[in-house]
């Protein structure tokens, strides 16, 4: 599990006159979660900008905020300027701000393509490349946007500087291309934030134990932002994107989808894992473990529109602890994942070790197996096993299975591509019966055949034929009343 340094703030109470560009005190605010009495807090901060009677007092409403901007939000210079206005709004309100940026949209794809399209070595079936060089190349997109945003902020009179992952340092493990953050030393950034400087951090990257740049997997800037928010003990992590929150389902499929006000960490984890693309799965795991209150919100709204700077209730969806959600619905959302494939092994021996013989070699080949269904044997000797993998991995999986046929001992293998997994998610399911039955009935009424089902405490996943995906999503969305109110 990620390890973060202890809160560096404790060492850095403001001892001097300390005003931000707005003329207000920018010294450290209290964590909103810290047990502080309401109103003003007295401490050693002396702000020259305040009237005499407020000297020695700092506003409790000041906070430490991490703002993350995705690729579409920084797609061109004009949008970067717009992002700078969002940042300025929070700085002017007196908050301490660290910003995390993605590469301009399309940039990372272009860089990845360059790596993958290097001429192949003669005879090789895929291009060979060193994952450490892949990281050196693809991490460059974020380096550019961090510098550009720092310049945009400076041009607005804001003290800002860019940071690359290694400079902070964001330490990762050695898994180049899909590294995990292990430790963040936030002390330097915290000190500078105390002096009124905005940190603009390149997302998606850190530094591995081999002292080389490591990237965090596609979509990894979300994870950078949440990890930095945890490392800096920020009050809030705002993920700015091209949608204005998390919806009950994909609005492109169901126009009646509603924006959710709050989603529990666990639900968001399921939604992200089951196909909702709004946040990288790993970022939600981190937010859950470190209890980082995370807002998903839009960068395309006017930065100075009313309510945009609201400290407690900014527009968007709050991802938070389930205790914060008062009125819990039974079902929160419907997610879907396309391009699933089903593989069935027929007439396997029904004895200990068979599953291990199947899934061991698949795991070693990095094939991500999802739903697993094993039939109860009719006569105690033979059984069937069905599981799903991403469509793109089917051929590889079939090869692994046939290489291990003797060890596994099956009769025939069948496969089908182009399937879709539709999932119903909600923590309210824990305490309600009949949620699955409602889904099955609604799908049956539309004549949609179910190929496999898996459930957990808070989700039901159903595998169906690809062409029924949209109908199934709309049907499930309305059968739980998600399209109402
Ligand atoms: N630029 C990286 C990507 O496209 C990281 C990110 O945007 O989150 O995957
Ligand atoms: Mg993203």
């Amino acid at each position: 599990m990620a390890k973060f340094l202890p809160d560096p703030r404790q060492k850095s109470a403001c001892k001097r006159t300390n005003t931000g560009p707005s003329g207000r005190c920018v010294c450290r605010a209290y964590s909103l979660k810290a047990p502080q009495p309401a109103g003003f807090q007295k401490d050693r901060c002396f702000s020259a900008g305040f009237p005499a009677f407020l000297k020695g007092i700092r506003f409790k409403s000041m906070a430490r905020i991490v703002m993350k901007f995705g690729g579409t939000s920084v797609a061109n210079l004009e949008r970067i300027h717009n992002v700078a206005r969002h940042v300025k709004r929070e700085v002017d309100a007196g908050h301490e701000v660290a910003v995390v940026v993605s590469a301009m949209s399309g940039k990372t794809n272009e860089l990845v393509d360059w790596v993958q399209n290097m001429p192949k070595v003669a005879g090789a079936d895929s291009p060979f490349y060193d994952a450490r060089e892949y990281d050196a190349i693809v991490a460059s997109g974020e380096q550019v946007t961090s510098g550009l945003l720092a310049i945009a902020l400076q041009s607005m009179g804001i003290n800002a500087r860019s940071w690359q992952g290694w400079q902070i340092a964001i330490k990762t493990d050695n898994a180049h291309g899909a590294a995990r953050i292990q430790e963040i030393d936030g002390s330097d950034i915290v000190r500078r934030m105390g002096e009124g400087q905005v940190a603009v951090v390149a997302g998606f990257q850190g530094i591995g134990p081999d002292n080389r740049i490591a990237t965090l997997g596609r979509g990894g800037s979300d994870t950078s932002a949440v990890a930095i928010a945890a490392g800096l003990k920020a009050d809030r992590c705002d993920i700015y994107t091209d949608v204005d929150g998390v919806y009950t389902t994909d609005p492109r499929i169901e126009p009646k989808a509603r924006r959710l006000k709050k989603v529990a960490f666990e639900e968001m984890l399921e939604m992200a894992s089951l196909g909702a693309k709004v946040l990288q799965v790993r970022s939600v795991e981190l937010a859950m473990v470190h209890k980082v209150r995370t807002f998903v919100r839009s960068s395309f709204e006017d930065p100075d529109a009313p309510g945009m700077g609201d400290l407690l209730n900014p527009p968007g969806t709050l991802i938070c602890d389930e205790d914060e959600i008062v009125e819990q619905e039974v079902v929160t959302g419907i997610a879907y994942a396309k391009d699933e494939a089903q593989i069935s092994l027929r007439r396997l021996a029904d004895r200990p070790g068979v599953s291990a013989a199947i899934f061991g070699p698949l795991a070693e080949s990095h094939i991500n197996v999802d739903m697993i269904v094993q039939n109860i044997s009719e006569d105690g000797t033979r059984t069937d096993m069905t599981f799903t993998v991403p469509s793109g991995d089917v051929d590889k999986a079939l090869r692994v299975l046939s290489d291990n046929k003797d060890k596994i001992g099956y009769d025939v293998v069948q496969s089908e591509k182009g399937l879709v997994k539709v999932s119903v998610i909600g923590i309210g399911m824990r305490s309600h019966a009949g949620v699955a039955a409602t889904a099955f009935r609604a799908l049956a009424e539309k004549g949609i055949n179910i190929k496999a089902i898996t459930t957990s405490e808070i989700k039901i996943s159903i595998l169906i034929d690809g062409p029924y995906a949209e109908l199934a999503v709309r049907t499930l969305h309305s059968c739980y009343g998600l399209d109402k109110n």
Side-chain angles (χ1 to χ4, degrees):
M1 206 18 77
K3 186 176 101 211
F4 296 104
L5 293 182
D7 183 2
R9 279 183 306 188
Q10 274 131 25
K11 288 179 238 141
S12 62
C14 171
K15 296 176 202 68
R16 61 191 165 271
T17 298
N18 198 0
T19 52
S22 61
R24 289 208 226 157
C25 174
V26 291
C27 77
R28 186 54 224 117
Y30 289 107
S31 158
L32 295 175
K33 281 177 238 142
Q36 300 294 341
F40 299 125
Q41 297 299 323
K42 213 168 170 35
D43 77 343
R44 289 177 293 155
C45 165
F46 301 99
S47 169
F50 281 146
F53 76 96
L54 285 179
K55 287 224 173 126
I57 283 171
R58 64 182 179 181
F59 284 101
K60 185 170 182 276
S61 65
M62 290 189 325
R64 181 175 292 166
I65 301 175
V66 172
M67 307 171 76
K68 182 257 169 178
F69 295 91
T72 48
S73 306
V74 293
N76 54 46
L77 299 184
E78 207 181 303
R79 290 199 189 153
I80 290 175
H81 179 80
N82 192 55
V83 161
R85 289 178 56 212
H86 281 285
V87 176
K88 184 175 191 310
R89 180 190 64 235
E90 305 296 349
V91 171
D92 285 351
H95 303 313
E96 289 182 347
V97 178
V99 188
V100 176
V101 287
S102 290
M104 291 170 157
S105 65
K107 193 72 208 171
T108 310
N109 286 345
E110 182 186 43
L111 295 167
V112 170
D113 278 354
W114 285 350
V115 176
Q116 292 179 340
N117 289 321
M118 284 295 277
K120 292 177 198 167
V121 176
D125 62 353
S126 63
F128 165 81
Y129 58 81
D130 179 339
R132 293 163 298 190
E133 302 305 350
Y134 166 94
D135 278 350
I137 296 158
V138 301
S140 65
E142 276 72 11
Q143 175 162 345
V144 172
T145 39
S146 63
L148 287 171
L149 180 57
I151 289 174
L153 288 166
Q154 288 166 2
S155 75
M156 292 176 176
I158 295 171
N159 178 5
R161 72 153 273 191
S162 65
W163 294 83
Q164 308 310 304
W166 60 270
Q167 292 170 319
I168 291 177
I170 297 174
K171 295 200 177 136
T172 71
D173 64 14
N174 223 349
H176 283 278
R180 287 164 81 95
I181 297 177
Q182 292 183 324
E183 196 177 317
I184 294 180
D185 179 358
S187 53
D188 211 6
I189 289 190
V190 166
R191 185 177 54 76
R192 287 159 182 260
M193 286 198 304
E195 292 163 2
Q197 190 175 70
V198 173
V200 185
V201 181
F204 184 48
Q205 53 167 276
I207 184 158
D210 53 1
N211 205 27
R212 301 192 59 175
I213 295 171
T215 63
L216 310 178
R218 297 306 305 272
S221 298
D222 295 333
T223 299
S224 307
V226 173
I228 287 166
L232 302 181
K233 293 269 191 291
D235 299 299
R236 216 172 75 201
C237 179
D238 288 1
I239 307 274
Y240 285 81
T241 175
D242 50 2
V243 290
D244 61 359
V246 179
Y247 279 69
T248 48
T249 195
D250 186 343
R252 287 168 304 183
I253 291 186
E254 174 49 275
K256 288 187 213 145
R258 283 183 295 115
R259 185 174 73 184
L260 292 156
K261 265 208 92 50
K262 291 181 180 179
V263 178
F265 289 127
E266 241 180 289
E267 292 173 324
M268 195 64 229
L269 192 56
E270 291 284 10
M271 288 192 197
S273 314
L274 295 168
K277 300 233 163 53
V278 61
L279 289 173
Q280 197 198 34
V281 176
R282 178 79 185 123
S283 72
V284 188
E285 279 170 13
L286 270 186
M288 186 156 102
V289 170
H290 296 279
K291 297 218 186 295
V292 178
R293 300 174 84 245
T294 302
F295 276 90
V296 176
R297 53 187 299 187
S298 167
S299 69
F300 288 85
E301 280 164 50
D302 177 359
D304 300 314
M308 289 297 281
D310 193 311
L311 183 62
L312 295 175
N313 274 310
T317 300
L318 172 63
I319 321 294
C320 60
D321 209 87
E322 65 182 91
D323 297 346
E324 265 197 67
I325 303 176
V326 186
E327 280 170 48
Q328 186 62 57
E329 307 280 345
V330 178
V331 168
T332 304
I334 312 293
Y336 68 95
K338 289 192 168 159
D339 291 325
E340 300 278 316
Q342 195 176 40
I343 296 179
S344 297
L345 296 170
R346 302 289 178 204
R347 291 180 289 285
L348 289 162
D350 190 12
R351 58 168 166 76
V354 170
S355 296
I358 299 169
F359 299 112
L362 290 171
E364 276 158 32
S365 307
H366 303 287
I367 293 168
N368 208 347
V369 173
D370 183 23
M371 302 168 119
I372 301 177
V373 184
Q374 184 186 334
N375 255 355
I376 292 181
S377 169
E378 205 178 66
D379 58 2
T381 65
R382 302 261 132 190
T383 185
D384 293 334
M385 181 86 78
T386 297
F387 55 90
T388 62
V389 298
S391 278
D393 282 347
V394 173
D395 296 338
K396 195 163 144 199
L398 292 176
R399 223 178 307 135
V400 172
L401 292 170
S402 87
D403 289 350
N404 289 276
K405 184 165 188 210
D406 291 345
K407 255 193 258 148
I408 303 169
Y410 57 87
D411 191 356
V412 283
V413 51
Q414 295 161 328
S415 67
E416 190 179 0
K417 293 186 190 179
L419 306 180
V420 168
K421 182 175 64 176
V422 187
S423 304
V424 178
I425 298 144
I427 49 176
M429 259 181 228
R430 284 196 200 121
S431 48
H432 282 80
V435 180
T438 303
F440 303 152
R441 205 178 314 116
L443 294 174
E445 276 165 17
K446 300 283 188 218
I448 300 172
N449 189 35
I450 298 173
K451 297 181 147 297
I453 303 163
T454 52
T455 59
S456 80
E457 251 197 323
I458 67 160
K459 72 123 202 271
I460 305 155
S461 290
I462 297 164
L463 192 69
I464 59 171
D465 279 326
Y468 289 101
E470 310 207 339
L471 179 61
V473 167
R474 283 196 292 266
T475 302
L476 294 173
H477 191 261
S478 79
C479 82
Y480 296 108
L482 291 175
D483 46 2
K484 310 253 161 56
N485 76 52

